[in-house]
Amino acid sequence: MRDKTQANSPEAGDGLIRAGAIVFFIGALATLVTVAPLLLGTKPFPFYMFGLSMLMGAGFLLAGAGVLQSAAQGRRRARAARS
C-alpha cells in the first residue's frame, strides 16, 4: 500500500498540525512582545496581550490533536492491511 501513496500526499491530521504550528508561533510572538516591556522597564502592554499569549497552548493542543488523528489513521491502516 505504501508504494501507491505519494510522498507529498496529505494525511489525516496534517491540517491540524500545520494550523497548530501557526497558532503556536503567533502565541510565541505575542508572548515575546508581552514580556519585552516587563524586562526593559517600560510601560506594559494592555491586559488582552496576555490573553494572546495563551495561543501557544491552544496551538500545542491543535497540533497534538493532529498527531493523535494521524496515529489513529495509521492504526486503522495497519489493521486493514492485516485483515
Side-chain angles (χ1 to χ4, degrees), residues 8 18 24-25 49 53 55 59-60 62 67 72 81:
N8 60 355
R18 285 189 185 110
F24 179 85
F25 285 119
M49 287 298 288
S53 298
L55 289 176
F60 189 75
L62 272 174
V67 168

Side-chain angles (χ1 to χ4, degrees), residues 23-79:
V23 171
F24 179 85
F25 285 119
I26 291 171
L29 181 64
T31 300
L32 288 175
V33 168
T34 304
V35 172
L38 300 174
L39 297 175
L40 298 174
T42 60
K43 183 182 172 199
F45 281 102
F47 187 69
Y48 68 86
M49 287 298 288
F50 292 98
L52 286 177
S53 298
M54 298 296 174
L55 289 176
M56 281 178 56
F60 189 75
L61 288 174
L62 272 174
V67 168
L68 291 176
Q69 188 178 18
S70 179
Q73 183 192 22
R75 272 190 247 129
R76 273 186 248 119
R77 209 182 285 154
R79 216 176 284 136

